Amino acid sequence: MQSQRRRKAAHGRKRSRVWRPGAQAAAIVAAIALVYLPALHAGFVWDDEQLVTGNLLLRNFAGLMEVWSGGRTADYFPITNTMFWIEHHLFGDNAAGYHAVNILLQAADAVLVWLVLRRLKVPGAWLAGLIFGIHPVHAESVAWISELKNLLSMFFVLASIFLFPCNRGETFARCIP
């Protein structure tokens, strides 16, 4: 009888370990979506005219090639401008699509913060990821379309940390049990 209870308890803990990370990630994404939902109703502001709505380089494939050559761009941000090019072809002049991409990137960044800290066995890693995601310091980066560069750079930094190879030839994600 006692061993059967132990097996059931062990099975319950194992099942909890399977669904818990997914639920935690979903909670972070839901919190960020809730906090930044008003941004979906915002339009284009400030630098959005120069970088998105008035940027002729986003109109065709030749413009995309010029984005990478750095010929006519004010600043050389080829990945950001490539994202703007893709978004322009997906959403046109509908600002909600651009804002949705920023919100999704902020959610991905927050989940990556949590995952990196979790692998490092930092206590409260999930809470840190949640706070990172909803902290007001990120409001401009998420709500302004032209600040996509901040979200993209954070994504690539966190992804590279998470995938960094260890001494054993494994990625960072596999190095720390």
Side-chain angles (χ1 to χ4, degrees):
M1 187 71 161
Q2 191 72 359
S3 65
Q4 186 178 12
R5 283 187 196 157
R6 284 186 190 147
R7 277 185 290 182
K8 282 185 179 182
H11 181 67
R13 283 191 302 271
K14 186 177 181 181
R15 222 174 22 179
S16 172
R17 278 183 275 165
V18 170
W19 68 265
R20 180 177 267 176
Q24 289 175 319
I28 289 173
V29 171
I32 290 167
L34 184 64
V35 167
Y36 291 110
L37 191 63
L40 288 176
H41 304 294
F44 294 100
V45 296
W46 298 98
D47 294 336
D48 296 343
E49 172 67 31
Q50 178 185 2
L51 295 173
V52 180
T53 58
N55 189 348
L56 298 177
L57 298 177
L58 304 181
R59 306 291 183 242
N60 55 39
F61 190 72
L64 181 62
M65 293 297 104
E66 199 156 334
V67 160
W68 282 89
S69 71
R72 290 190 339 203
T73 58
D75 296 314
Y76 186 67
F77 299 126
I79 295 175
T80 303
N81 286 322
T82 300
M83 281 293 296
F84 285 148
W85 188 88
I86 293 167
E87 289 174 326
H88 175 75
H89 288 276
L90 290 175
F91 311 123
D93 289 332
N94 180 5
Y98 296 87
H99 289 296
V101 169
N102 282 12
I103 293 168
L104 289 173
L105 269 171
Q106 177 67 6
D109 290 349
V111 168
L112 279 169
V113 164
W114 166 58
L115 290 174
V116 167
L117 294 176
R118 182 174 169 229
R119 290 289 182 179
L120 292 172
K121 298 192 184 305
V122 173
W126 178 81
L127 184 60
L130 177 67
I131 291 171
F132 176 87
I134 63 173
H135 198 280
V137 77
H138 300 288
E140 287 181 4
S141 294
V142 178
W144 290 4
I145 294 166
S146 59
E147 294 299 311
L148 174 66
K149 61 186 172 288
N150 299 339
L151 299 168
L152 283 172
S153 63
M154 179 59 75
F155 177 80
F156 288 122
V157 164
L158 291 168
S160 64
I161 291 170
F162 191 69
L163 299 172
F164 189 78
C166 295
N167 296 338
R168 298 179 294 199
E170 297 176 342
T171 62
F172 173 78
R174 300 266 186 237
C175 290
I176 302 170

